[in-house]
Amino acid sequence: MEDSFMINVLNITLNLIGILANAFIVVFLLLAWAQGRRLNTCDLILVSLGFGSIFYQCSSVCFRLLGFQVIYVNPQFVFFIDVYSSSTTSWFTACLCIFYCVKIVDFNHHLFFWLKIRISKMVPWMLMGSVMGSIALGIPSYLSSYEESLENSTAILISNVTINNNALNMAKSYQYARVALGICLPLVLDIASMQLILISLCRHTRRMNNNASGFSQPQLQTHYRAAKMMGFLLLTNISLLISQILTMCTTNVLMVSICWVIIFAFLTTQPIVLILGNPKLRKEVLHLLG
C-alpha cells in the first residue's frame, strides 16, 4: 500500500513538471504570436503538441487525486480520455517528425519537391486529422468495456479502473487495435522520418568531406539538431509503446504502476527535449534562468 502511494506521488510529481514545461512552450509561442510575431508551421505543431500533452497529464493528475469521485460519475470516460490523449500525443509527435523530415532532407525526387512546397498547408489538416482520428479511436472504448469482479482490490489505474471491487476493463481486441492505430502507426512514421534524415545527413556529410557541393555548416548543424531531437522523440514513443503493451499483459498492480511511471517520465522529458532543440525556446529559457 505504501509502495502504491509513493508511486502515485512520483507520477503526480512527474506530471506537474511536464505540465509546467509544456505550458512554457505554449505560453511563449502564443505570447509571441499575440505580439505580432508570425506563428510558423513548426510553432503550430509545438503548440498543438503542448496542449495535447497538458491535457493528457492534467487528466492523469485529476484521476489520481480525485480517484473514485471522478471515476464514479462515468468510468468509461476515463478510458476515452486515456485513448484520445495518448493517441493525439503520438500523432502530433509524428506530424512534427514528418515536418522536420520534409523540410530538411534533400532528395532529388519529385515527391519530396511536391511535399516541400505544400507541407505548410498540409500540417493544419494533419493536426485536425489527428484530433478527429483520436476521437474516433476513443469512442469504441465505451462499447468494448466490461466489468469484472475482483477481491480485495483497491488500486486505481488509468488502464484498469477499480470501482467497488469491480474492475472496468477494455476488451483485449480493442486494446491491441487502439495501440496499433494510436501508437504503433505514428511510431512507424517517426522511424521512417528518422531514417530519411539520417540517410540525408550521411550523404551530405560525405559530400562535405569530399569537398563536393552540399549543405553549408549552419545547415548541417540544423540537420544534426533535428536528428538528435527526433531520436529522443523516437525513444519516447518506443518507451510509451512498450509500457502500454506491458499494462495490457499484466494484472500486477505494482507492475502496471511502474509502467505508468515510465510513461509519465518520458512525457515529462519530451517538452524539455523540444525546448532544448528549438533555438527560440532555448534562448528564452536561458534568458529566464540567467
Side-chain angles (χ1 to χ4, degrees):
M1 190 69 180
E2 184 178 349
D3 290 339
S4 298
F5 174 76
M6 293 303 298
I7 289 175
N8 274 336
V9 170
L10 179 58
N11 280 336
I12 291 172
T13 303
L14 290 171
N15 273 305
L16 291 177
I17 296 173
I19 290 169
L20 290 175
N22 281 299
F24 170 80
I25 295 175
V26 172
V27 170
F28 173 76
L29 294 176
L30 290 183
L31 281 178
W33 176 63
Q35 293 171 358
R37 299 179 190 175
R38 182 172 174 269
L39 192 68
N40 59 38
T41 307
C42 182
D43 294 340
L44 178 62
I45 300 175
L46 291 177
V47 169
S48 301
L49 183 56
F51 271 124
S53 297
I54 289 172
F55 180 74
Y56 191 4
Q57 293 176 298
C58 281
S59 61
S60 299
V61 170
C62 288
F63 293 143
R64 281 180 164 75
L65 287 177
L66 300 179
F68 291 111
Q69 297 177 17
V70 173
I71 298 172
Y72 179 76
V73 176
N74 192 345
Q76 290 89 346
F77 180 71
V78 179
F79 283 145
F80 175 80
I81 293 297
D82 178 42
V83 173
Y84 167 77
S85 53
S86 62
S87 178
T88 51
T89 301
S90 297
W91 276 106
F92 285 162
T93 303
C95 289
L96 182 63
C97 291
I98 292 171
F99 175 77
Y100 273 120
C101 176
V102 172
K103 297 296 288 186
I104 291 176
V105 298
D106 186 24
F107 292 123
N108 295 323
H109 193 281
H110 64 87
L111 177 61
F112 282 94
F113 288 118
W114 185 86
L115 287 174
K116 281 180 182 292
I117 295 173
R118 293 169 174 80
I119 188 64
S120 295
K121 295 181 179 179
M122 293 171 61
V123 164
W125 292 101
M126 291 165 60
L127 296 174
M128 182 63 69
S130 299
V131 172
M132 299 305 295
S134 298
I135 292 175
L137 191 61
I139 290 175
S141 63
Y142 285 94
L143 305 176
S144 65
S145 60
Y146 60 93
E147 288 192 15
E148 180 182 355
S149 179
L150 294 178
E151 293 183 2
N152 300 323
S153 202
T154 56
I156 303 173
L157 304 171
I158 290 180
S159 59
N160 185 9
V161 183
T162 304
I163 307 170
N164 297 330
N165 292 329
N166 287 328
L168 187 67
N169 295 291
M170 282 187 287
K172 286 293 183 182
S173 58
Y174 173 73
Q175 290 192 49
Y176 290 126
R178 69 108 169 180
V179 168
L181 297 175
I183 299 178
C184 288
L185 185 55
L187 179 61
V188 170
L189 296 176
D190 294 342
I191 294 173
S193 300
M194 184 68 182
Q195 286 182 330
L196 291 175
I197 282 188
L198 290 177
I199 291 172
S200 178
L201 180 60
C202 291
R203 286 178 53 191
H204 286 288
T205 302
R206 194 183 311 116
R207 288 180 183 178
M208 289 189 67
N209 292 335
N210 294 332
N211 296 321
S213 60
F215 278 177
S216 63
Q217 191 64 27
Q219 289 175 309
L220 198 60
Q221 290 300 321
T222 302
H223 206 138
Y224 278 124
R225 283 198 302 269
K228 288 190 293 185
M229 185 172 66
M230 289 177 62
F232 281 115
L233 295 177
L234 186 61
L235 179 62
T236 300
N237 278 3
I238 291 175
S239 302
L240 178 64
L241 173 63
I242 294 174
S243 300
Q244 289 273 14
I245 292 176
L246 287 176
T247 59
M248 294 188 303
C249 297
T250 181
T251 57
N252 185 282
V253 172
L254 183 60
M255 183 63 184
V256 174
S257 298
I258 293 174
C259 289
W260 280 104
V261 171
I262 296 172
I263 292 172
F264 292 136
F266 278 99
L267 286 175
T268 300
T269 305
Q270 186 181 64
I272 298 175
V273 171
L274 294 176
I275 291 172
L276 295 178
N278 187 291
K280 293 185 297 184
L281 296 173
R282 186 174 66 252
K283 181 179 179 181
E284 184 64 20
V285 168
L286 294 176
H287 175 72
L288 292 174
L289 295 177

